[in-house]
Every structure is written in structure tokens, then in C-alpha cells.
Amino acid sequence: MSVFIFTRNNLITYCCVGIVGLVLIAKNYPQNQAANATNNTANHVEKPSNEDDDSDSAISVLQQNRPLRMSISVESPSFLKVRVGQEIRQGDIISDNSLERTRLEKQKASVKLQIENLKSKTIPEPFKPKESLGLKPLPPAIFSEEKAAIAQSKLRLNQAIALLEARTPLLQSDNPERRAEAERAEAGLQIASQKVEEQEQLIQSMKDMKLQSEILQHEEAKLKQLRSEMDQAISALDQAKAKLNASAINQQQELQQLQINVGLAKSDLEVAESRLIAAQNRRQITEYDANLNEARQQQQENQTQQEYSRQQQQYAQAVRDRDYQLAQMAISLTTIEDKLAQIPMLRSPRNGYIRRIKSWTGVNGKYTTTITISAAPAVSSKNGKGDSTNTTTSPNPSNKAKPQR
């Protein structure tokens, strides 16, 4: 629809000036033929010649009484929004591409809604990871307890070895006291045996000499006594030998115990040394685990930092995408508003009635008609039909407005 757009005040002024021109022309032409109020290529009232010296009161009277003819050129007859006999007010729409306007208005509302949705959409900022507190350092490696146990075990071992070395010569030889006692008992046995033997020889000699029986009995009694003493000496010798043997056994047992003590001291030293080695190994394992945990924590911190950097990039990209979409929407909104501004809309310059609408004439895809606005409604003729002609043609299918998305 090709039409010139005028402001309301300008259109009223042009209409008033045109009516004045019509009045002046009517004075020269008796047939009172009205001039065409608009041209075929623009929807506005033609400007009359420079005859605008009449008073404002005369213009107002003419505006109210004289009919106004307007030539309209549109792309489709459906753009015409009035009919014959319709009462219109100043500012009412005469012609408009309502389908296209409605479609663009819906697009505009949709774009505004999308802009509001984009503006209201919150893009969460990435959460900055907290700084790591780090692992607690390991306490210093102290093996004082194990080392003290080793020192004590070495001391006990040295004491056991020294005691064994000192007692071994004594324990490997006979007990001198018991040996002396056995020797004394053996000497006493020899003396007793010798006395018994001498007494027997004496008695035998006396028997050979055939001495008196009383003397023999006396000597035999003495022999019995000597024999009894010899038995006692034999018993004392046996006891001394038994004591000597028991002392040797005790000495052997003591020597074995000393040797066992040396072995136990060595075993305790080995156990203490193994405990120190075990503690050192545990310390190495603990240090290895600590280093491994530190490496894992460092790796985790690196991964967290990388993830935070990636989230920052995603956040920045999301902000850029939203700003880009908002810019695109703003451009689309401006484009739609420009298209809406470019849709011509013709409004009535005055109050009145549609008296006549001429038949449409189409040239090169443009449809042209002339409407007449009068101050009073059209008067019916004798045949009952109105004075005007209302010819309506169906709009060109190619000019139909596209449905709004």
C-alpha cells in the first residue's frame, strides 16, 4: 500500500485549504464540480493553489458543510476499513494493512517476550574453589625408644658375656672345697684301713704266739672298733665324692645357664635391632604415603583449577551468547518497528459519513478508489438505493499477510 503519511494537524490543514479552494473554484464553475481531493499515488488531500487568505471562521464552516473527496491507492481492496453510510470520527482508520500490522505486532510482542526472558535468565557465576589448607607436615623421625632398647640389650649382652668368661674356668674345674673334703675322706679311709690291717696282723701274731685269750679278745674288740672306724671313713669318702659330683653338676648347670643368658641377651639385642628397623620401615611407608597424598592433593587442586577456568570460560561464553542474542533481538525489534512504521495508515481528517466509494481500478498491482466524506449521511434516491457506489473486490491472494510465527 503506497501512501504518504501525514500528521493529524497537517492533514486537517490540507483538507481545510482544499475545501477553501473548492469554494473558490465553485464561484467560477456553475456546475459546482468538486476537485479531486487526493492524487492517485498518495493518500492525502491535494493542495490547492496559494489561495489561503480566507478567515478561520469561513474555513471551519466549509469544513463542516462541504464533502471531502479522498483518492486512495492500496495494494489490496481489503485494506479499506470503511463502508458507505458509515459514520466516522476524526482520527478513525480509513485504510490499513491490518493483517500485516497484526502479524508484525505479534512478532514484536514475541521478540519483546524473548528479550524479557533473556534478561530475566540468570547465568550462575562459577564458584571459586577455596584455597587448600594443605597437609600437615609429618613430625620428625625419632627412634629414641628403639635405640634405648638396643643400648640396654647390648649392655645386658656384654654383662652376660663377661660373667660367662669369668665363671667358665672355675665352673669347668672341680670345687676345691669339695675336692679337699674328698681327699681328706680318702686319706682318713687309708689310715683306717692301715690300722685295721695292722690290728689284724697283730692279732694273727698273737695267735701264732698263743697268747692268752683275754688279750686276744681285747685286741679283737679293738679290731672291731677299727673296722667300724674304717666303715665310717668309707661312708665319709662316699659322701665327699657325692658332694663333689653334685658340685660338678651344679657348676655345669650354672655354666649352661650363663651360656643361655648370653644367648638370651643376643636374642634381645636382635629383637631390639629388628624393632628399630621395623620403625624405620614404618616411617618410610608413612613418608611415602604423605608424599603420595600430597601429589594427589596437588593433582586434585590442578584439576579443580582447570575446571574453574573451564567454568569461567563457559560463563563468559554464556554471557557473550546472551548479549549477542539480546543484540539480535534488539535488531529484530527495531526491524519490526521499522516495518510497522512503514505500513501506511490513513485516518479520517474530520467527522462525518462515508457518502460514496468509487469502484476499484487496478493498475500494476495497485488498487485505486475515491471516497467521499460528507458532513451528513447520504440521502436515499427514489428507487431506494443510496447515492454512492460501494464496490468491493477480493484482495489479491499474493498480497495476503503471512501468519505470525
Side-chain angles (χ1 to χ4, degrees):
M1 175 180 177
S2 60
V3 66
F4 291 101
I5 308 300
F6 298 96
T7 62
R8 184 175 182 180
N9 294 330
N10 291 336
L11 188 58
I12 294 172
T13 302
Y14 291 152
C15 292
C16 294
V17 174
I19 293 171
V20 172
L22 292 175
V23 173
L24 295 176
I25 294 171
K27 293 179 180 180
N28 297 322
Y29 295 94
Q31 65 272 21
N32 196 14
Q33 181 180 359
N36 191 356
T38 59
N39 57 24
N40 293 328
T41 59
N43 294 329
H44 65 281
V45 180
E46 289 185 351
K47 294 183 181 179
S49 60
N50 296 328
E51 298 177 2
D52 51 358
D53 298 328
D54 292 2
S55 62
D56 293 338
S57 61
I59 294 175
S60 177
V61 171
L62 291 173
Q63 283 181 344
Q64 295 177 0
N65 298 326
R66 299 298 296 174
L68 174 64
R69 290 192 181 125
M70 301 178 67
S71 178
I72 301 174
S73 179
V74 295
E75 295 179 358
S76 174
S78 63
F79 290 179
L80 186 63
K81 302 302 179 183
V82 295
R83 66 183 182 277
V84 175
Q86 178 182 347
E87 181 183 4
I88 60 174
R89 298 288 182 180
Q90 182 178 354
D92 288 349
I93 298 174
I94 295 177
S95 66
D96 183 26
N97 187 355
S98 58
L99 293 177
E100 182 66 14
R101 186 179 299 278
T102 302
R103 185 182 69 83
L104 292 176
E105 288 290 348
K106 290 182 179 179
Q107 286 186 359
K108 181 179 178 181
S110 176
V111 172
K112 284 186 176 180
L113 181 60
Q114 292 179 14
I115 291 175
E116 293 298 327
N117 289 336
L118 285 175
K119 288 182 178 180
S120 62
K121 182 180 179 181
T122 302
I123 301 176
E125 295 185 10
F127 179 74
K128 186 176 182 180
K130 295 182 179 179
E131 295 183 359
S132 177
L133 299 178
L135 298 175
K136 293 183 178 180
L138 293 176
I142 300 175
F143 306 102
S144 57
E145 184 178 356
E146 289 78 5
K147 291 180 180 179
I150 291 174
Q152 291 178 0
S153 298
K154 287 182 177 180
L155 180 61
R156 286 195 292 268
L157 177 60
N158 293 332
Q159 290 177 351
I161 292 174
L163 183 60
L164 177 61
E165 290 177 352
R167 294 286 294 172
T168 297
L170 296 176
L171 295 177
Q172 287 180 349
S173 61
D174 292 335
N175 189 346
E177 184 179 355
R178 299 302 177 186
R179 171 58 64 181
E181 184 179 358
E183 289 177 355
R184 287 196 300 270
E186 187 176 1
L189 179 58
Q190 289 178 358
I191 292 173
S193 298
Q194 186 176 1
K195 287 181 179 182
V196 169
E197 185 178 357
E198 290 177 354
Q199 186 66 24
E200 288 177 351
Q201 290 176 0
L202 177 60
I203 290 173
Q204 186 64 34
S205 297
M206 291 178 68
K207 286 181 178 180
D208 293 339
M209 293 175 61
K210 296 181 179 180
L211 294 177
Q212 294 179 357
S213 57
E214 291 81 359
I215 297 173
L216 290 172
Q217 290 178 354
H218 175 72
E219 293 299 332
E220 287 179 355
K222 188 176 179 179
L223 178 60
K224 289 181 180 179
Q225 184 179 357
L226 292 174
R227 285 179 177 176
S228 176
E229 292 177 356
M230 187 181 68
D231 292 337
Q232 291 178 358
I234 291 171
S235 177
L237 179 61
D238 293 336
Q239 291 179 357
K241 287 182 178 180
K243 290 180 178 180
L244 181 62
N245 292 331
S247 177
I249 293 172
N250 291 334
Q251 289 178 351
Q252 186 65 27
Q253 291 177 351
E254 184 180 356
L255 180 61
Q256 291 178 354
Q257 186 62 40
L258 292 177
Q259 292 174 351
I260 290 173
N261 292 339
V262 172
L264 291 175
K266 289 182 178 180
S267 177
D268 291 341
L269 178 60
E270 291 176 355
V271 170
E273 290 177 348
S274 64
R275 287 179 179 175
L276 176 61
I277 294 173
Q280 291 174 347
N281 292 335
R282 288 195 299 271
R283 175 66 182 192
Q284 291 178 355
I285 294 174
T286 303
E287 291 177 352
Y288 173 77
D289 292 338
N291 294 332
L292 184 60
N293 292 333
E294 184 177 1
R296 288 175 178 174
Q297 185 177 10
Q298 185 65 35
Q299 184 179 5
Q300 185 177 3
E301 290 178 0
N302 294 335
Q303 292 178 353
T304 303
Q305 189 64 32
Q306 292 176 358
E307 180 66 19
Y308 176 65
S309 300
R310 186 182 65 81
Q311 291 178 356
Q312 281 185 323
Q313 294 176 358
Q314 290 180 350
Y315 172 75
Q317 184 63 36
V319 172
R320 288 194 297 270
D321 292 342
R322 184 185 63 181
D323 294 341
Y324 176 76
Q325 291 177 1
L326 287 173
Q328 291 293 325
M329 291 296 175
I331 294 173
S332 299
L333 183 61
T334 303
T335 303
I336 294 173
E337 290 177 348
D338 291 341
K339 289 181 178 179
L340 282 172
Q342 292 173 3
I343 296 176
M345 178 187 293
L346 180 61
R347 296 181 180 272
S348 175
R350 54 179 286 185
N351 298 334
Y353 295 87
I354 303 298
R355 182 176 180 180
R356 177 183 295 175
I357 300 177
K358 287 188 176 182
S359 300
W360 292 96
T361 58
V363 178
N364 296 329
K366 296 290 184 179
Y367 296 87
T368 304
T369 187
T370 301
I371 66 173
T372 303
I373 302 175
S374 62
V379 179
S380 300
S381 60
K382 293 180 180 180
N383 56 9
K385 294 184 179 180
D387 183 23
S388 60
T389 303
N390 185 4
T391 304
T392 304
T393 60
S394 60
N396 192 348
S398 62
N399 294 326
K400 289 183 179 180
K402 297 181 180 179
Q404 184 179 359
R405 296 178 181 175

